[in-house]
Amino acid sequence: MGTKVRAFVRVKPTAHFAQDVIKFGPDNKSIDIYIKKDAKKGVVNNKQTDWSFKLDGVLHNTSQEMTYETVAKKLVSEALTGYNGTIMCYGQTGAGKTYTMTGATAEYKHRGIIPRAVQQVFKAIACSVDSFITVRISYLEIYNETLCDLLSTTTSSGASDMQMAIVDCPQGVYVKGLSIHSVSDEEDALNLLFEGETNRVIAEHSLNKNSSRSHCIFTIYIEVRSRVRVLSDIRCINSKINLIDLAGSERLSKTGSEGRVLKEAAYINKSLSFLEQIIIALADPKREHIPFRQSKLTHVLKDSLGGKCNTVLVANICGEALHVEETLSSLRFATRMKWITTEPVVNVTYDSEETVKTLEKEISLLKQELAMHDSLVNRSLVTYGPLTDVQVAEIKSQIHEYLKGAIDEIDFFNTMLRGCCFFFFSQRQQEGEVETRLRSKYILIDKNDFATIAAAQKVMAGHALVPVPSYKEINLVHLFPSIRKEGTKSLFSGRDLAAHLPSKSQVVVPTKNLDVKEKARNEDTVKNDAQPSKPISEEISQRPSSPPSKAVAFEQFKEECGSEINRIFKENKSILLARRKRSSTVARRINIIKQEMEDIKKALEAERQERSQQGEYVDEKGRLIIDEKEFLLIMKLKDLKEEYRCSYAELQDLKAEIQYCQHLVDRCRNKLISEFEIWYSESFLIPTYVQNALKPSGNIRPGMIPINRVMCLEEDEQERFERMQEAMLPTGPDSVAFYKAKMKTDQKVMSAGHSSL
Ligand SMILES: Nc1ncnc2c1ncn2[C@@H]1O[C@H](COP(=O)(O)OP(=O)(O)OP(=O)(O)O)[C@@H](O)[C@H]1O
């Protein structure tokens, strides 16, 4: 079943609203017009004096935001799922078409449908996790049946390009020669809108044309590709949103135009009446031929009106009695639009190049599979190509299930698995080796094995009497120095590392110093075994009895061991600051240029109006003569536009540099902090509160072994505390409060130390 074109009416606010003439229905979906019969004045229709129009909504005293929500939001979100969408503003000159479509630049909240649609599209992109969405923009103007590219880079003022032509093709209609620009963010797209608007003003004055007499089509092209490619699925969803600001629809008789203005009005009249004809034809299901090619406007809109597209019309009207004839005509147009039924479909295309590539890949995988089969027979070596993310996930999951015992065998003949299982098996094997190595240094005790833990507790108490740095022994850095070194090819990341560590239900104590079950039997032996190795004890004897605060230690660290990284960090930070400073200067300049351009546009508009009021002069070739002031304004606008372009390009470069510098600064900061953490823990041993806890008088509980130190190498203080709490078996509320308070103090000290960064 088809969908009807939606039509809204938007009333321009006025102090002279004709209350007796225009009445809104209670549901805000109908509008009634009453005209008193006045034969002398020749009213619109002598027979009918009252009209009632049913629409999808009457936007009266409606904010720009509400207008967008009502008119465009749904259409834009559907465009993101592949449906073409068209929004058109129709109405007499000055009724608010441009205000609705583009909005006013003075205030952010007055921005119109185009900037809001751009924002919605980029917000959706930011939230999209499973698709790549690319956006492109074009801006076309149709003036006196001439196509004009408002974003053309070859012509400074967007003047019409003789090469442009409307072309019909199986995929729809496109404008040959119209530039389509890729945009990476909202700002880029808005910049193009602004550039197009400026070009429109420059061209308006250079060619002496009137913006109200041209149709403008701002198009957002959206392409959605899935991030996860399944074999043979190379679908690509393409859609476009046409945002159209039509020329003023006033009737010729009213404009009282002459000469060039009359010619313009005739063109507009023609194209709008062709548009009307198309709409009537589209609304008639029996009509076979729709004469789209009658005018450039209708031809360009061939696949955007009705058909497979979501279409919305906004009829802009003025509320004054004076304009009632135009209001009636716009409302009639809107009602006719509502008769049209559309059948929107998702625009799916298949990337033929990509299809070939994927099929080739599939063939080669099948060949490999075949070779694998042969290799089973011949025992020959087979090599394999890289796998997709999906395949890797599938293999990992199967191996995981297999190792857990959840499945009995792995489906080796599944095309997705192939030989890479060996890689994952070997990876798991290496993980096993890590565990073996861990076990050679430490023993794992079940957290619920209270007897063994109690024994360990005694031994640890013995350690604490003689302050042995058992902490250090547990530090994994000493076990696997490569884990922490950047740039070295470590098999495990910090996250992976956590996976190798004992589960929360286990605690680890060093076997070297602590053979728990054995030592529990003979405490004296334990004490002897627990003696620190010489170098460590020497190291300890040099350490201060109470460690310095982290803030103080951090300063010392920056002076000594961390001086080089601190220097690099400072350097990067100063480069970043310099770039930021330059960027804000350029951004300020851009805003000033923008404001100056807006002022000039206004001044030019005033000049144009004054000229048309006073009468226009043409030279012998029929070219319009403009005064020096207007000429200088046009030149100034062109210069500003050039400066704007350069500044904008510089700003984009600066932004990229800032992003990169920020990344470097963050990395340096993290490195500095993590190096400091290691240095601090190695230099000043166990924090006092853990040492105290290990003393026989301390509030030690089974399971409270400082294994958390291993876990916390890559974690922040809060998480560290939570893990410590988890690793402790029930402790009294006092001790929890104590550790918590202590942790908080430590955190504060840390942040005081780091805040200077
Ligand atoms: N809903 C509205 N609220 C506030 N101001 C409005 C509204 N609609 C229009 N205006 C103001 O009315 C003036 C004329 O509007 P606008 O330029 O949008 O008309 P238009 O229909 O596009 O005219 P043209 O056909 O000449 O392009 C502008 O100054 C605009 O800011």
Side-chain angles (χ1 to χ4, degrees):
M1 228 195 66
T3 332
K4 291 276 178 203
V5 167
R6 295 192 307 145
F8 297 87
V9 60
R10 188 176 196 195
V11 190
K12 181 179 155 180
T14 169
H16 310 286
F17 184 74
Q19 295 177 34
D20 300 337
V21 179
I22 304 172
K23 299 216 189 280
F24 307 117
D27 58 351
N28 249 354
K29 286 193 173 177
S30 63
I31 185 164
D32 298 333
I33 307 284
Y34 302 96
I35 299 178
K36 282 185 198 139
K37 264 191 178 175
D38 186 349
K40 265 189 246 161
K41 286 195 175 173
V43 285
V44 178
N45 186 331
N46 278 334
K47 287 179 193 147
Q48 192 180 356
T49 53
D50 299 345
W51 289 264
S52 187
F53 300 93
K54 291 251 175 294
L55 297 143
D56 290 281
V58 177
L59 307 167
H60 184 224
N61 282 335
T62 311
S63 67
Q64 292 284 69
E65 188 182 355
M66 187 48 89
T67 302
Y68 183 77
E69 299 272 323
T70 317
V71 168
K73 200 170 179 184
K74 184 164 172 267
L75 182 141
V76 173
S77 62
E78 288 187 356
L80 285 156
T81 60
Y83 295 95
N84 284 345
T86 296
I87 305 177
M88 264 194 301
C89 283
Y90 178 96
Q92 71 180 104
T93 296
K97 297 182 295 296
T98 308
Y99 182 79
T100 301
M101 202 42 91
T102 312
T105 45
E107 267 194 77
Y108 186 64
K109 68 176 179 189
H110 291 155
R111 69 200 190 284
I113 290 174
I114 298 178
R116 285 170 200 266
V118 163
Q119 190 174 41
Q120 188 182 338
V121 167
F122 280 101
K123 270 193 179 163
I125 292 175
C127 299
S128 140
V129 282
D130 52 0
S131 319
F132 283 117
I133 306 179
T134 49
V135 181
R136 293 177 308 146
I137 300 284
S138 71
Y139 205 177
L140 174 74
E141 185 181 40
I142 304 173
Y143 173 75
N144 285 3
E145 285 299 278
T146 310
L147 300 168
C148 173
D149 185 352
L150 288 176
L151 298 178
S152 166
T153 43
T154 49
T155 51
S156 64
S157 56
S160 65
D161 186 338
M162 301 312 283
Q163 303 301 311
M164 284 167 73
I166 304 166
V167 180
D168 286 284
C169 69
Q171 287 77 36
V173 171
Y174 75 96
V175 180
K176 194 179 124 206
L178 176 68
S179 63
I180 303 180
H181 304 255
S182 289
V183 283
S184 54
D185 54 27
E186 188 185 336
E187 198 186 329
D188 260 3
L190 294 183
N191 190 48
L192 289 179
L193 172 66
F194 180 70
E195 189 173 330
E197 292 293 313
T198 307
N199 283 340
R200 201 177 168 187
V201 173
I202 292 175
E204 207 176 282
H205 285 268
S206 309
L207 305 171
N208 193 41
K209 63 186 193 188
N210 187 329
S211 67
S212 350
R213 298 180 190 283
S214 65
H215 310 290
C216 278
I217 307 175
F218 185 89
T219 308
I220 306 172
Y221 306 81
I222 300 167
E223 187 182 282
V224 184
R225 281 170 195 270
S226 175
R227 272 182 209 276
V228 182
R229 290 293 186 85
V230 179
L231 279 182
S232 311
D233 184 5
I234 31 266
R235 279 185 318 156
C236 169
I237 290 172
N238 286 289
S239 56
K240 59 179 177 181
I241 308 171
N242 280 319
L243 302 167
I244 309 167
D245 183 357
L246 291 169
S249 62
E250 51 279 307
R251 293 166 329 144
L252 285 186
S253 60
K254 191 172 180 187
T255 55
S257 320
E258 286 172 11
R260 183 183 55 81
V261 179
L262 179 67
K263 189 177 145 202
E264 281 177 343
Y267 274 122
I268 300 159
N269 225 34
K270 236 162 105 184
S271 62
L272 287 178
S273 74
F274 285 141
L275 180 64
E276 212 161 339
Q277 283 175 29
I278 296 287
I279 282 154
I280 293 168
L282 283 168
D284 180 359
K286 288 183 210 122
R287 280 287 291 266
E288 281 182 0
H289 175 70
I290 314 285
F292 281 111
R293 299 172 72 112
Q294 285 183 121
S295 73
K296 293 271 196 306
L297 176 71
T298 51
H299 196 180
V300 161
L301 297 181
K302 188 177 166 188
D303 59 357
S304 307
L305 282 173
K308 298 170 183 170
C309 172
N310 283 316
T311 308
V312 176
L313 176 91
V314 179
N316 291 92
I317 61 166
C318 295
E320 291 97 352
L322 173 74
H323 300 296
V324 72
E325 287 181 27
E326 268 67 35
T327 298
L328 265 176
S329 143
S330 299
L331 290 171
R332 274 198 207 105
F333 184 85
T335 319
R336 281 190 197 124
M337 279 290 280
K338 268 189 67 59
W339 295 341
I340 304 175
T341 307
T342 65
E343 302 226 359
V345 289
V346 175
N347 296 284
V348 183
T349 54
Y350 291 87
D351 186 334
S352 52
E353 211 173 291
E354 200 60 17
T355 310
V356 171
K357 268 192 212 157
T358 312
L359 290 175
E360 275 175 354
K361 208 169 171 184
E362 204 167 343
I363 290 169
S364 103
L365 288 174
L366 287 169
K367 277 184 181 166
Q368 284 176 2
E369 208 172 303
L370 200 63
M372 186 173 159
H373 177 77
D374 292 346
S375 78
L376 285 175
V377 179
N378 305 328
R379 299 192 178 276
S380 61
L381 276 174
V382 188
T383 52
Y384 302 99
L387 294 169
T388 66
D389 289 351
V390 176
Q391 290 170 323
V392 170
E394 165 78 4
I395 291 160
K396 277 190 171 171
S397 141
Q398 284 221 31
I399 291 175
H400 188 68
E401 293 295 296
Y402 179 76
L403 291 173
K404 260 187 5 193
I407 53 170
D408 290 337
E409 60 182 46
I410 293 173
D411 180 11
F412 271 96
F413 291 101
N414 180 327
T415 50
M416 304 244 282
L417 291 179
R418 302 187 182 85
C420 55
C421 285
F422 297 120
F423 169 72
F424 291 110
F425 265 125
S426 73
Q427 197 178 355
R428 290 298 293 251
Q429 201 180 332
Q430 286 178 52
E431 287 172 16
E433 279 167 17
V434 172
E435 193 181 325
T436 313
R437 285 163 73 189
L438 259 176
R439 280 179 189 276
S440 72
K441 284 221 161 192
Y442 308 102
I443 59 161
L444 298 179
I445 309 171
D446 193 299
K447 199 176 171 183
N448 296 319
D449 184 355
F450 295 107
T452 313
I453 291 169
Q457 194 182 317
K458 279 189 192 166
V459 177
M460 291 308 285
H463 277 250
L465 288 171
V466 187
V468 175
S470 51
Y471 229 60
K472 187 166 171 139
E473 300 283 329
I474 306 174
N475 194 329
L476 267 187
V477 178
H478 294 270
L479 282 176
F480 309 113
S482 64
I483 288 169
R484 204 185 284 275
K485 273 183 196 148
E486 272 186 33
T488 57
K489 277 198 172 173
S490 163
L491 186 63
F492 308 104
S493 65
R495 216 174 258 274
D496 292 330
L497 184 58
H500 307 304
L501 292 171
S503 68
K504 281 178 198 163
S505 64
Q506 292 173 320
V507 291
V508 180
V509 289
T511 51
K512 201 174 177 184
N513 296 333
L514 184 65
D515 185 352
V516 179
K517 287 183 180 165
E518 181 63 31
K519 286 161 195 165
R521 265 182 248 127
N522 186 348
E523 219 170 286
D524 288 344
T525 323
V526 169
K527 279 184 190 166
N528 288 338
D529 282 4
Q531 289 302 319
S533 62
K534 207 175 173 226
I536 296 171
S537 61
E538 273 172 17
E539 192 188 322
I540 292 186
S541 66
Q542 285 161 13
R543 282 179 183 137
S545 53
S546 68
S549 76
K550 282 198 172 173
V552 171
F554 191 58
E555 290 311 311
Q556 187 192 338
F557 173 75
K558 283 194 287 184
E559 294 291 313
E560 297 168 10
C561 314
S563 64
E564 182 59 10
I565 175 120
N566 192 37
R567 185 189 62 75
I568 298 169
F569 171 70
K570 276 185 174 167
E571 249 174 43
N572 284 341
K573 219 166 105 173
S574 73
I575 295 171
L576 177 66
L577 284 177
R579 295 290 185 281
R580 283 219 178 111
K581 221 168 151 186
R582 175 71 195 147
S583 156
S584 67
T585 311
V586 176
R588 264 202 307 276
R589 179 67 198 136
I590 285 177
N591 282 336
I592 293 168
I593 299 171
K594 250 178 154 175
Q595 191 51 53
E596 281 181 39
M597 285 166 89
E598 288 299 328
D599 293 346
I600 292 181
K601 281 183 202 173
K602 276 188 196 144
L604 278 169
E605 179 59 25
E607 282 287 314
R608 188 178 61 79
Q609 274 177 10
E610 196 184 320
R611 177 160 40 80
S612 63
Q613 274 166 13
Q614 288 175 356
E616 293 170 341
Y617 297 96
V618 288
D619 65 10
E620 64 283 357
K621 287 184 181 163
R623 287 176 306 200
L624 194 96
I625 298 169
I626 55 171
D627 67 12
E628 200 183 341
K629 190 177 165 199
E630 194 173 340
F631 176 75
L632 289 175
L633 282 172
I634 296 168
M635 294 326 258
K636 174 84 179 143
L637 189 59
K638 279 190 174 172
D639 289 348
L640 282 170
K641 192 188 140 196
E642 197 45 44
E643 196 185 344
Y644 177 85
R645 253 178 198 276
C646 297
S647 305
Y648 188 79
E650 188 184 352
L651 189 66
Q652 293 300 95
D653 290 347
L654 281 165
K655 273 186 180 170
E657 275 186 57
I658 286 171
Q659 214 176 6
Y660 185 66
C661 280
Q662 183 67 60
H663 170 71
L664 287 183
V665 167
D666 289 345
R667 278 189 61 179
C668 282
R669 180 189 286 113
N670 291 341
K671 180 100 180 129
L672 193 58
I673 292 172
S674 64
E675 292 290 324
F676 166 71
E677 284 283 11
I678 299 163
W679 174 82
Y680 187 84
S681 69
E682 285 176 0
S683 307
F684 304 111
L685 290 177
I686 322 166
T688 329
Y689 58 97
V690 178
Q691 281 188 30
N692 288 340
L694 291 173
K695 282 180 187 162
S697 54
N699 199 9
I700 192 159
R701 292 282 182 277
M704 201 183 76
I705 310 286
I707 179 60
N708 301 283
R709 199 63 198 168
V710 179
M711 304 285 230
C712 68
L713 290 173
E714 308 280 326
E715 294 165 0
D716 66 10
E717 294 284 327
Q718 185 58 37
E719 252 183 88
R720 189 183 307 184
F721 173 71
E722 280 163 10
R723 281 187 179 277
M724 177 174 266
Q725 261 192 317
E726 271 175 31
M728 285 190 278
L729 283 179
T731 52
D734 290 346
S735 57
V736 172
F738 166 76
Y739 290 121
K740 216 166 192 168
K742 183 72 193 154
M743 227 19 154
K744 270 196 183 142
T745 321
D746 273 8
Q747 263 174 356
K748 270 188 203 152
V749 173
M750 269 306 287
S751 43
H754 297 158
S755 64
S756 62
L757 291 171

